[in-house]
Amino acid sequence: MQKSPGEYSPLDMMGMGLAAAVGIAAATFFDLTQSDEASTLFVFNKWLARLTEMLGLGNIPLYGVVLILMGIGALSILYFQPVTIRGAFAQGFGVLAAVTTLAPSDLGGALPSPDTEAASLEPLPAGDNSWFEEEGISSRGLVPPVYRVPVSSVTAVQRDEQGYSIRMKIIFPDGLDRQPSELIDSGDLRGKLHNEESKQTYNLFRNSGADVMYRDGTMYLSSRIPGDIPRASLVARVEAEGYRIVESRFDASLGVNPVWTIRMAPSSQPLLLQRLRRPYWF
């Protein structure tokens, strides 16, 4: 039996609010699984991280964003006043759809191409054991057989421009169960690189102009990050199915830097659960 809005008791309102909150939760699950890394939840988490940083609080994990959105959905019944539990649940979906229009997806910028000619002319830092020497790979001939999508807006950094030449080595001890390109397309392999000085974030694997190569359980990546500050703090986040999500920091200097090695740790926990427990501050 339906009631008019003024006839609902506090218990009825709590039930409506719970239904709307569950609708929000269901919608966020579909958004995370279907939108992949384009989900606006990551953008909300980044915005929230900036707010908590200004307030001197710690970063809130992704599930905190979901709880806040569920609270918004529960409170929305006070304004929209659905007349059935089913309507309240559907309203939760609608509220999330409206809220997500406020935040465009952010995949990160395209990682610039390496200045291979300049890098080959510059001497390597003392004591540096480049993977080029260890693995017998030419720094000039890194051909990416796995995944490289050149973007027209990405141009090679000229030799006279300053920047941070990085060479990243990501080690997967148990290897990858599929081709990296398949993992990237399915959302099971993701990566972001953040420059804390310029606040610029790059996507490691998608729309990248970087040289990327995968062989024998190790991924090699070469790029040159724009910048003119003598030292920059870089942070990389790598996510791969079957491994624990890793955040690694690296202090980069202008010019050629030592190899940045990231070793992934095997994990049986699904990536979705790991992502919910992690703050996405960049």
Side-chain angles (χ1 to χ4, degrees):
M1 179 179 178
Q2 295 184 358
K3 303 177 183 179
S4 61
E7 296 176 338
Y8 285 105
S9 66
L11 189 60
D12 292 328
M13 298 298 289
M14 289 179 60
M16 292 288 188
L18 180 60
V22 172
I24 285 275
T28 56
F29 173 78
F30 284 113
D31 185 56
L32 280 173
T33 54
Q34 299 299 318
S35 299
D36 196 34
E37 57 186 316
S39 171
T40 53
L41 291 178
F42 298 117
V43 179
F44 287 139
N45 202 172
K46 184 167 62 175
W47 289 354
L48 193 59
R50 292 175 182 172
L51 177 62
T52 55
E53 182 181 3
M54 289 189 296
L55 298 175
L57 305 175
N59 290 328
I60 295 179
L62 192 61
Y63 75 80
V65 178
V66 176
L67 292 177
I68 291 174
L69 291 174
M70 290 175 66
I72 294 174
L75 293 175
S76 69
I77 66 165
L78 300 177
Y79 179 79
F80 293 105
Q81 297 183 348
V83 296
T84 64
I85 295 293
R86 181 181 299 176
F89 181 86
Q91 180 178 295
F93 267 92
V95 168
L96 182 65
V99 171
T100 53
T101 60
L102 302 175
S105 60
D106 182 13
L107 294 175
L111 202 60
S113 302
D115 187 1
T116 53
E117 183 175 358
S120 66
L121 297 175
E122 297 178 26
L124 294 175
D128 172 64
N129 291 319
S130 166
W131 78 62
F132 303 130
E133 297 175 358
E134 294 175 344
E135 307 294 340
I137 301 174
S138 169
S139 62
R140 186 186 296 271
L142 266 178
V143 179
V146 176
Y147 195 86
R148 182 181 179 183
V149 183
V151 180
S152 58
S153 62
V154 179
T155 57
V157 179
Q158 300 299 321
R159 280 178 293 174
D160 56 351
E161 289 187 36
Q162 300 206 32
Y164 314 100
S165 182
I166 62 168
R167 297 163 296 156
M168 189 178 293
K169 184 176 181 179
I170 307 173
I171 302 173
F172 301 92
D174 295 339
L176 298 175
D177 58 1
R178 285 174 286 162
Q179 289 296 320
S181 57
E182 297 177 10
L183 292 170
I184 293 169
D185 290 337
S186 65
D188 293 328
L189 178 61
R190 302 179 186 175
K192 291 284 185 71
L193 188 148
H194 181 70
N195 185 338
E196 290 194 316
E197 316 310 324
S198 66
K199 307 303 180 184
Q200 179 69 42
T201 300
Y202 303 92
N203 198 306
L204 287 179
F205 306 125
R206 288 190 181 274
N207 296 335
S208 177
D211 282 340
V212 181
M213 177 176 175
Y214 176 75
R215 189 175 70 184
D216 299 330
T218 301
M219 185 167 288
Y220 306 91
L221 185 148
S222 177
S223 180
R224 192 174 183 89
I225 308 299
D228 54 8
I229 301 175
R231 295 188 68 84
S233 180
L234 306 179
V235 186
R237 180 176 61 239
V238 182
E239 309 175 22
E241 186 63 48
Y243 292 91
R244 181 171 57 85
I245 297 176
V246 171
E247 277 191 13
S248 175
R249 290 182 174 271
F250 183 80
D251 290 328
S253 302
L254 291 174
V256 179
N257 286 273
V259 175
W260 181 359
T261 301
I262 300 176
R263 183 176 294 274
M264 305 294 289
S267 174
S268 58
Q269 190 175 59
L271 273 179
L272 180 60
L273 293 180
Q274 292 189 56
R275 288 165 180 159
L276 287 172
R277 297 171 57 184
R278 172 168 293 275
Y280 282 80
W281 57 276
F282 71 91

